[in-house]
């Protein structure tokens, strides 16, 4: 099944930001496009707004004048749904209410031809439920674009329970012909991106609620150590706290209150107070005129240790040994089998975050995971209140000698980046095991949909087959609610890989 022919008219119902963006994508790809909105005059206003954006593209040289004029000529506002009768594809981008969408598609089914592809751009509702009342639900599919649709490449092509393979394939190939990067997805709460991305927000909020660190510090660590483009607090302020919480709540409810998707009470209070982020002037941060952005906690300058002793294999942090030597600090390696740690001159130990806490040991400082220890500009350290000050100072001085800013946070298991990445990896394995998408499509979706530096499966291959599983098991021991319990899919992956390698 191939993409729709460019001569085939495409309709977009709903002319808000997403509707206009989808219409522009189809229009620039070469289709005749019809715009319809139930509110009188909105379709014409939307057509004018799209025309103005085409003008700006032409002014910037991204569209020739001839192509701009041709696209303008193909764009037609419609005064009634009846004017969409000859369309080969109708994409809906109206209010996120199941009854509204079901009623719309019921009306459309009486108007369009039997071979017309019907699609919803819903981000939170069930594709199966929306199309369930149709006489021909096999032609119904989800086409979830990301905002702004003309710029972001990802499209989740969602097959409902009754969607025909031919319909899903046609939708997939059409999205690709429009210059997008489609990924195939089963109809599951949150689809790929909004399902697997929940821990990025949830773990940051959990660290904040435990009073281990403030939003500015957590955001800085996620960016400067984890390699994420934005931190969770600044990103939700941009999205809108009400919008982000609504998606989280929808996924949680759709999974029958699965504890892994539990919403944040701190975010609920933020929404209740009307602090919705940039659009209201205040969210986690203050955006009002004259407000100063809080700085992340950064430790004062400390002297680096004269030497360190490396015991065991540092795994994902192995590059640190080379960096420490390059900084002129002596490294003595000892082949201990019972741990992976750096021993400081004071006798204190520096250990990569593993889901345990400093308070469980006499003299341990944890350091967080980094996407790339050489490129990272900030490292987080975690210590208990009774951890000797000298040990903390030596740990701070060591990373400062490597050119890093250091943030010392509270004694929280899994720290910030490590627990976030481990939970994202776990949800990714769980989704693939349940037939939501392929590993390749999950990685593509998370890189393109939310700009993650690596896809979850790419990350797990880099970290090692049991790293995420083992860290989550330790977290689950310290919080037995089940929120961080590793999935059976992740367990199977780690142990299946171990068998292949001849290990237990």
């Amino acid at each position: 099944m191939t993409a729709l022919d460019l001569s085939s008219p495409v309709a977009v119902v709903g002319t808000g930001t997403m509707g206009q963006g989808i219409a522009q994508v189809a229009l620039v790809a070469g289709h005749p496009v019809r715009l319809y909105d139930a509110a009188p005059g909105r379709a014409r206003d939307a057509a004018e707004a799209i025309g103005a954006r085409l003008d700006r593209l032409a002014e910037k040289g991204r569209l020739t004048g001839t192509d701009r004029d041709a696209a303008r000529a193909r764009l037609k506002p419609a005064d009634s749904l009846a004017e969409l009768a000859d369309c080969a594809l109708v994409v809906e981008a109206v209010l996120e209410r199941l009854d509204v969408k079901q009623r719309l598609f019921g009306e459309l089914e009486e108007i369009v031809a039997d071979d017309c592809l019907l699609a919803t751009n819903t981000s939170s509702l069930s594709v199966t439920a929306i199309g369930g009342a149709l006489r021909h639900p096999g032609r119904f599919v989800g086409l979830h674009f990301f905002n702004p649709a003309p710029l972001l490449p990802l499209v989740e092509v969602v097959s409902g329970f009754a969607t025909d393979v031919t319909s899903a394939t046609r939708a997939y190939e059409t999205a690709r012909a429009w210059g997008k990067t489609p990924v195939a997805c089963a109809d599951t709460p949150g689809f790929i991106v909004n399902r697997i991305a929940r821990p990025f927000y949830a773990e940051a909020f959990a660290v904040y609620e435990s009073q281990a660190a403030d939003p500015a510090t957590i955001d800085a660590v996620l960016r400067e150590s984890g390699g994420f483009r934005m931190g969770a607090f600044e990103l939700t302020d941009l999205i809108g706290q009400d919008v982000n919480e609504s998606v989280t709540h929808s996924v949680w409810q759709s999974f029958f209150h699965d504890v892994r998707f539990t919403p944040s009470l701190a975010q609920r209070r933020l929404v209740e107070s009307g602090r919705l982020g940039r659009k209201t002037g205040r969210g986690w941060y203050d955006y009002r005129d004259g407000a100063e952005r809080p700085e992340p906690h950064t430790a004062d300058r400390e002297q680096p240790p004269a030497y360190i002793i490396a015991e065991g294999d540092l795994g994902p942090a192995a590059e640190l040994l080379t960096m420490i030597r390059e900084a002129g600090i002596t490294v003595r390696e000892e082949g201990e089998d019972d741990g992976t740690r750096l021993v400081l001159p004071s006798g204190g130990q520096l250990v990569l975050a593993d889901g345990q806490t400093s308070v469980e040991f006499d003299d341990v400082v944890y350091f967080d995971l980094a996407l790339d220890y050489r490129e990272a500009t900030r490292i987080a350290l975690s210590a208990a209140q009774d951890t000797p000050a000298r040990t903390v100072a030596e740990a701070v001085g060591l990373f400062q000698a490597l050119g890093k800013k250091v943030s010392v946070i509270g004694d929280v298991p899994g720290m910030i980046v490590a627990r976030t990445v481990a939970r994202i990896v776990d949800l990714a394995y769980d989704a693939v095991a349940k037939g939501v998408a392929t590993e390749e499509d999950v990685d593509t979706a998370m890189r393109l949909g939310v700009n993650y530096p690596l896809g979850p499966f790419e990350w797990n291959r880099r970290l090692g087959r049991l790293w995420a599983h083992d860290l989550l098991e330790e977290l689950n021991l310290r919080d037995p609610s089940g929120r961080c319990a590793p999935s059976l899919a992740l367990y199977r992956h780690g142990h299946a890989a171990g068998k292949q390698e001849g290990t237990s």
Side-chain angles (χ1 to χ4, degrees), residues 52-122:
R53 284 198 290 274
L54 294 176
D55 289 341
R56 289 194 292 273
L57 289 175
E59 290 169 4
K60 295 177 180 179
R62 297 176 185 173
L63 198 65
T64 67
T66 300
D67 288 343
R68 183 267 318 276
D69 293 342
R72 274 181 165 274
R74 293 194 301 271
L75 180 61
K76 304 291 184 185
D79 294 322
S80 69
L81 286 177
E83 296 178 48
L84 314 183
D86 65 337
C87 289
L89 167 64
V90 180
V91 183
E92 162 273 316
V94 301
L95 187 67
E96 283 286 274
R97 276 181 45 186
L98 180 60
D99 59 333
V100 172
K101 294 178 187 289
Q102 286 178 327
R103 184 165 58 249
L104 169 64
F105 283 110
E107 294 173 7
L108 284 168
E109 196 172 36
E110 300 298 325
I111 294 168
V112 299
D114 288 346
D115 61 351
C116 175
L117 192 62
L118 299 178
T120 175
N121 184 58
T122 186

Side-chain angles (χ1 to χ4, degrees), residues 199-253:
F200 179 73
Y201 313 108
E203 297 313 306
F205 297 160
V207 172
Y208 167 76
E209 289 174 337
S210 71
Q211 300 188 54
D214 60 277
T217 300
I218 296 169
D219 278 353
V221 172
L222 285 168
R223 288 193 314 269
E224 299 172 39
S225 182
F228 294 96
R229 186 165 297 185
M230 299 180 74
F233 296 91
E234 57 191 343
L235 179 55
T236 53
D237 268 356
L238 178 63
I239 294 169
Q241 297 302 330
D242 53 339
V243 174
N244 181 261
E245 194 214 24
S246 176
V247 173
T248 298
H249 201 269
S250 174
V251 172
W252 176 61
Q253 280 193 317

Side-chain angles (χ1 to χ4, degrees), residues 322-334:
T322 301
M323 295 167 60
I324 292 169
R325 290 189 179 95
E326 291 172 352
I329 299 172
T330 300
V331 176
R332 304 173 189 169
E333 293 192 56
E334 297 184 2

Side-chain angles (χ1 to χ4, degrees), residues 192-193 195-203 222 226 228 260-261 416-432 442-443 446-447 450 452-460 463 467-468 471-472 483-484 487 490:
I192 299 174
V193 172
R195 172 177 175 154
I196 295 173
R198 295 346 295 162
F200 179 73
Y201 313 108
E203 297 313 306
L222 285 168
F228 294 96
R260 295 176 302 167
F261 300 101
I416 298 171
V417 179
R419 65 189 292 160
T420 299
V421 170
R423 288 212 59 222
I424 289 170
V425 167
D426 183 62
L427 289 190
Y429 272 95
D430 184 56
V432 169
V442 167
D443 277 351
M446 301 314 290
R447 286 196 313 270
V450 277
Y452 283 3
L454 292 174
F457 295 96
E458 294 173 312
W459 223 321
N460 196 56
L463 295 171
W467 181 88
L471 186 141
L472 292 175
R483 197 178 72 85
C484 295
S487 66
L490 188 62

Side-chain angles (χ1 to χ4, degrees), residues 152-205:
L152 294 186
L154 185 70
V155 177
E156 292 177 317
V157 181
V158 186
S159 293
F161 188 78
T163 303
D164 291 336
V165 173
T166 53
S167 298
T169 303
R170 171 157 283 186
Y172 184 98
E173 293 300 333
T174 297
R176 184 155 61 180
W178 290 358
K180 297 301 180 182
T181 302
V183 291
C185 176
D187 185 19
T188 184
F191 309 141
I192 299 174
V193 172
N194 280 330
R195 172 177 175 154
I196 295 173
R198 295 346 295 162
F200 179 73
Y201 313 108
E203 297 313 306
F205 297 160

Side-chain angles (χ1 to χ4, degrees), residues 188-495:
T188 184
F191 309 141
I192 299 174
V193 172
N194 280 330
R195 172 177 175 154
I196 295 173
R198 295 346 295 162
F200 179 73
Y201 313 108
E203 297 313 306
F205 297 160
V207 172
Y208 167 76
E209 289 174 337
S210 71
Q211 300 188 54
D214 60 277
T217 300
I218 296 169
D219 278 353
V221 172
L222 285 168
R223 288 193 314 269
E224 299 172 39
S225 182
F228 294 96
R229 186 165 297 185
M230 299 180 74
F233 296 91
E234 57 191 343
L235 179 55
T236 53
D237 268 356
L238 178 63
I239 294 169
Q241 297 302 330
D242 53 339
V243 174
N244 181 261
E245 194 214 24
S246 176
V247 173
T248 298
H249 201 269
S250 174
V251 172
W252 176 61
Q253 280 193 317
S254 298
F255 276 114
F256 308 105
H257 295 183
D258 186 329
V259 69
R260 295 176 302 167
F261 300 101
T262 302
S264 161
L265 181 59
Q267 188 179 39
R268 176 90 291 262
R269 294 291 179 259
L270 204 66
V271 173
E272 290 173 339
S273 71
R275 298 184 179 186
L276 306 183
R278 289 180 178 271
K279 61 186 177 184
T280 61
R282 296 184 75 182
W284 295 110
Y285 299 108
D286 192 338
Y287 300 94
R288 295 172 297 180
D289 291 342
E292 293 186 8
R293 178 71 175 262
E295 292 295 323
H297 168 76
T298 302
D300 293 334
R301 177 64 58 180
E302 300 285 356
Q303 288 296 316
Y307 67 90
I308 58 101
I309 300 171
E311 295 184 351
D313 178 10
L314 293 182
E319 176 70 6
L320 284 176
L321 296 184
T322 301
M323 295 167 60
I324 292 169
R325 290 189 179 95
E326 291 172 352
I329 299 172
T330 300
V331 176
R332 304 173 189 169
E333 293 192 56
E334 297 184 2
E336 297 290 331
D337 294 328
D338 61 344
T340 57
R341 55 187 172 255
L342 301 175
V343 181
L344 300 162
S346 64
Q349 298 175 26
L350 191 55
V351 181
L352 175 62
D354 59 6
Q356 301 184 76
T357 57
S358 293
V359 75
E360 300 169 51
F361 306 97
D362 291 333
D363 198 359
V364 167
V365 171
Y366 279 100
F367 65 96
D368 208 352
L369 180 69
L371 172 68
D372 183 326
Y373 283 99
R374 191 171 288 278
E375 296 298 324
T377 57
R378 182 179 299 270
I379 294 294
L381 301 179
S382 175
Q385 290 185 346
D386 61 353
T387 302
R390 180 182 173 188
T391 300
V392 177
E394 287 180 338
V396 169
L398 175 65
F399 280 103
Q400 288 175 339
L402 305 185
K404 315 301 181 187
K405 296 177 183 177
V406 178
S407 293
V408 180
I409 68 171
D411 188 19
V412 59
M415 301 193 67
I416 298 171
V417 179
R419 65 189 292 160
T420 299
V421 170
R423 288 212 59 222
I424 289 170
V425 167
D426 183 62
L427 289 190
Y429 272 95
D430 184 56
V432 169
K434 292 175 178 173
V436 173
T438 65
E439 292 187 7
E440 181 181 3
D441 276 356
V442 167
D443 277 351
T444 298
M446 301 314 290
R447 286 196 313 270
L448 299 184
V450 277
N451 289 312
Y452 283 3
L454 292 174
F457 295 96
E458 294 173 312
W459 223 321
N460 196 56
R461 286 191 290 272
R462 178 183 290 195
L463 295 171
R465 60 183 176 83
L466 284 173
W467 181 88
H469 173 272
D470 290 350
L471 186 141
L472 292 175
E473 273 204 329
E474 295 291 349
L475 284 178
N476 190 50
L477 287 173
R478 287 150 186 83
D479 174 14
S481 66
R483 197 178 72 85
C484 295
S487 66
L488 179 60
L490 188 62
Y491 176 86
R492 283 174 170 159
H493 161 74
H495 289 276

